[in-house]
């Protein structure tokens, strides 16, 4: 049986691998200690929101538009763009230091690098404030990315 992996699945897996290999350096977290690295939850992975007072992260890989960037008879290149969106949750009423710390760790891991065929551009960190339920303070990191599909 032939196994086929699509360009999009390969790109998604490359991004997820980069996220999973992020060293959050939790020992330096202003409110943390050894073993306090945040749990990362992905879209549709079936795990519930962590029941913890620790910082946790929701990561979403959002593909965007695509366009052809080269033309020719022997090779065509299609550029796919998207965003990796991180939501960093810290218990409401506990300050912003840990959420900001982990946002900085995420931004530094992705800023201006190419890894496994995906180029990450300049991350943007923003404050979203308290969620609707009032339990979590949230900061966001949005990392634009692109990957080229060389069709020969």
């Amino acid at each position: 049986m032939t196994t086929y992996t699509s360009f999009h699945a390969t790109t998604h897996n490359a991004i997820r691998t980069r996220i999973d290999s992020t060293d959050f350096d939790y020992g330096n977290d202003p409110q943390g200690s050894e073993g306090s690295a945040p749990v990362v939850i992905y879209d549709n992975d079936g795990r519930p929101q962590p029941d913890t007072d620790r910082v946790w992260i929701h990561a979403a890989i959002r593909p965007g538009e695509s366009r052809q960037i080269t033309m020719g008879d022997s090779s065509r290149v299609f550029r796919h763009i998207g965003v990796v969106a991180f939501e960093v949750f810290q218990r409401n009423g506990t300050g912003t230091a840990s959420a900001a710390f982990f946002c900085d760790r995420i931004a530094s891991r992705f800023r201006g690098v190419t890894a496994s065929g995906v180029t990450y551009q300049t991350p943007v960190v923003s404050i979203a404030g308290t969620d609707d339920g009032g339990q979590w303070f949230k900061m966001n990191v949005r990392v634009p990315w692109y990957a080229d599909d060389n069709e020969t």
Side-chain angles (χ1 to χ4, degrees):
M1 182 173 163
T2 302
T3 302
Y4 177 74
T5 303
S6 73
F7 172 81
H8 293 286
T10 300
T11 301
H12 180 93
N13 289 337
I15 294 169
R16 221 179 135 141
T17 297
R18 185 122 185 119
I19 295 167
D20 291 342
S21 66
T22 298
D23 175 11
F24 286 105
D25 196 17
Y26 49 79
N28 290 322
D29 170 8
Q31 296 179 346
S33 59
E34 191 73 22
S36 65
V39 172
V40 177
I41 304 286
Y42 292 94
D43 277 348
N44 201 31
D45 75 359
R47 293 183 295 162
Q49 170 181 313
D51 183 21
T52 179
D53 284 338
R54 302 293 318 145
V55 171
W56 63 278
I57 299 169
H58 174 253
I61 301 166
R62 301 286 188 241
E65 296 183 21
S66 301
R67 63 182 168 270
Q68 189 170 350
I69 61 170
T70 66
M71 295 184 188
D73 292 335
S74 62
S75 177
R76 299 180 300 165
V77 177
F78 297 87
R79 178 156 291 167
H80 302 267
I81 61 173
V83 170
V84 184
F86 297 91
E87 297 173 295
V88 180
F89 293 88
Q90 181 168 350
R91 186 65 73 186
N92 197 28
T94 62
T96 61
S98 287
F101 172 83
F102 289 119
C103 286
D104 285 345
R105 296 297 298 161
I106 292 166
S108 68
R109 175 76 170 141
F110 287 87
R111 183 180 296 116
V113 298
T114 299
S116 301
V118 180
T119 299
Y120 303 96
Q121 297 173 309
T122 304
V124 175
V125 176
S126 61
I127 295 175
T130 303
D131 70 343
D132 291 339
Q135 294 183 1
W136 297 98
F137 174 81
K138 184 171 69 170
M139 292 182 71
N140 296 328
V141 182
R142 295 180 52 83
V143 183
W145 59 267
Y146 68 86
D148 292 341
D149 184 4
N150 299 310
E151 188 178 283
T152 55

